[in-house]
Amino acid sequence: MEIRVLRYFLAIAREGSIINAANFLHVTSPTLSRQIKELEEELGHQLFSRKSHSMSLTSEGMILRKRAEEIIAMVDKTEEEFSAMENTISGDIYIGGGETQAIRQIAEIAKGLRDDYPGIRYHLYSGNAQDVTERLDKGLLDFGILIQPADLSKYDYLDLPDKDTWGVLMRKDSPLAEKAFVERQDLLDVPLICSRQAISPQQTPNEFADWFGEDFEKLDIAATFNLVYNAAMMVEAGAGYAITIDKLANTSDGSPLCFRPLTPRLESGLNIVWKKYQVFSPAATMFLERVKERFPI
């Protein structure tokens, strides 16, 4: 299975036909068709459902697409790292994490490093702890920002000084907006829009569930989300109250939304993590040095 053929496969999956993919790749349609037929024979599975003017992925093709995207991303990342070694410090740094205010300090470090080395580029990936650690383990990320609690046994890490404060995002005209804090009983009879990290079954212990106590299963969870922007749109539409962390959604004077912290107060610490025994590119090594200067152990 050649990397070139995987790129062909992904192009067809994206473009929806041999002709469109051939035009994009600047190869002939017969060449492309032959390569995909040989790939299907090699794997022993049909990867595309073929119609007169279009092609769509089979279930086996969908599995290969996910794996092919990961393989191509790793190949591209490796090539970039070796290319950067030939020049002054440059190249790509891949950082993943959930939505958190801690990214402000990471962004300041990133800016300072790029001011000194303009050839450095950053790639940010948003996801929950499971998404981020999966990509770390596969080598698709250099660093991850994890909201505690998180399993750090496989990683080297530094504690970040910031703490995220949990609370409720709501409309300013809602009854709960009249309160300075939100208590457990306030949440029992209202539709909730919960972040995946707040109710994720993979997160053990689950701080929000522990905070809420024995009545956690009685909550009316109307929706879940992984991006606060989308949750804020749901809240603004009146679909419910969002359980999230502070300082992520727009709650300025001109916004219809406001944030109220939970009481008793619930906070989550933060870590920046990387794989143990990780061999970094020069750019990622320099970034880690700056992080350690900013957040000494």
Side-chain angles (χ1 to χ4, degrees):
M1 189 185 305
E2 298 180 25
I3 299 299
R4 172 177 51 83
V5 178
L6 289 180
R7 294 188 190 275
Y8 289 172
F9 164 78
L10 290 175
I12 297 171
R14 182 179 63 251
E15 300 295 329
S17 74
I18 288 283
I19 293 175
N20 290 344
N23 290 335
F24 174 81
L25 295 167
H26 304 292
V27 300
T28 65
S29 295
T31 297
L32 198 54
S33 181
R34 184 180 69 254
Q35 295 282 357
I36 296 305
K37 185 174 185 298
E38 291 175 357
L39 178 61
E40 290 179 322
E41 291 173 352
E42 179 182 353
L43 295 175
H45 291 281
Q46 184 175 338
L47 302 175
F48 291 98
S49 295
R50 293 162 170 83
K51 297 180 182 179
S52 57
H53 298 293
S54 65
M55 297 173 66
S56 59
L57 289 170
T58 63
S59 57
E60 293 84 359
M62 291 180 183
I63 293 172
L64 179 61
R65 180 177 64 182
K66 183 175 187 299
R67 299 297 178 219
E69 287 172 345
E70 293 173 351
I71 291 168
I72 295 301
M74 177 61 71
V75 169
D76 290 344
K77 183 172 183 290
T78 302
E79 290 176 348
E80 289 162 358
E81 288 173 350
F82 275 87
S83 175
M85 292 177 188
E86 299 174 0
N87 308 303
T88 184
I89 293 178
S90 62
D92 299 83
I93 300 173
Y94 295 80
I95 304 171
E99 290 183 297
T100 169
Q101 62 176 331
I103 195 64
R104 294 183 184 278
Q105 295 199 57
I106 299 301
E108 290 173 4
I109 296 170
K111 179 187 182 301
L113 184 59
R114 196 170 191 278
D115 286 345
D116 295 336
Y117 303 99
I120 289 177
R121 296 177 298 273
Y122 298 96
H123 305 275
L124 304 181
Y125 173 83
S126 296
N128 66 7
Q130 183 182 14
D131 300 328
V132 171
T133 54
E134 181 179 334
R135 294 179 76 86
L136 272 171
D137 294 344
K138 291 178 178 178
L140 299 175
L141 294 176
D142 297 309
F143 304 98
I145 301 170
L146 301 183
I147 300 172
Q148 298 174 3
D151 181 5
L152 304 178
S153 59
K154 296 189 295 183
Y155 308 104
D156 289 324
Y157 63 91
L158 290 171
D159 295 327
L160 299 179
D162 287 319
K163 287 187 179 294
D164 284 332
T165 300
W166 287 90
V168 184
L169 185 68
M170 64 188 76
R171 290 178 57 95
K172 288 176 180 175
D173 58 5
S174 68
L176 286 184
E178 298 176 4
K179 305 185 63 171
F181 301 93
V182 174
E183 302 174 270
R184 294 180 181 90
Q185 60 266 28
D186 296 327
L187 302 177
L188 279 174
D189 298 316
V190 297
L192 298 181
I193 303 168
C194 287
S195 70
R196 284 162 52 188
Q197 63 211 49
I199 62 170
S200 172
Q202 287 82 20
Q203 184 164 305
T204 305
N206 185 312
E207 286 190 303
F208 178 66
D210 292 344
W211 176 89
F212 201 88
E214 60 185 12
D215 289 331
F216 178 74
E217 297 299 329
K218 297 180 182 179
L219 294 176
D220 177 14
I221 298 176
T224 63
F225 67 91
N226 67 332
L227 292 175
V228 172
Y229 181 86
N230 294 334
M233 296 298 101
M234 295 282 284
V235 174
E236 188 172 338
Y241 295 75
I243 305 297
T244 183
I245 57 180
D246 197 6
K247 300 178 182 177
L248 296 182
N250 178 17
T251 56
S252 63
D253 290 342
S255 169
L257 305 180
C258 63
F259 179 89
R260 297 291 181 264
L262 300 175
T263 186
R265 192 173 181 86
L266 177 61
E267 295 181 326
S268 293
L270 299 149
N271 304 104
I272 182 167
V273 307
W274 58 95
K275 285 174 64 176
K276 289 183 176 179
Y277 315 113
Q278 173 78 18
V279 178
F280 286 120
S281 68
T285 299
M286 182 66 72
F287 178 82
L288 181 57
E289 290 175 1
R290 297 284 179 99
V291 169
K292 289 180 175 179
E293 290 174 4
R294 182 74 169 263
F295 311 117
I297 297 174

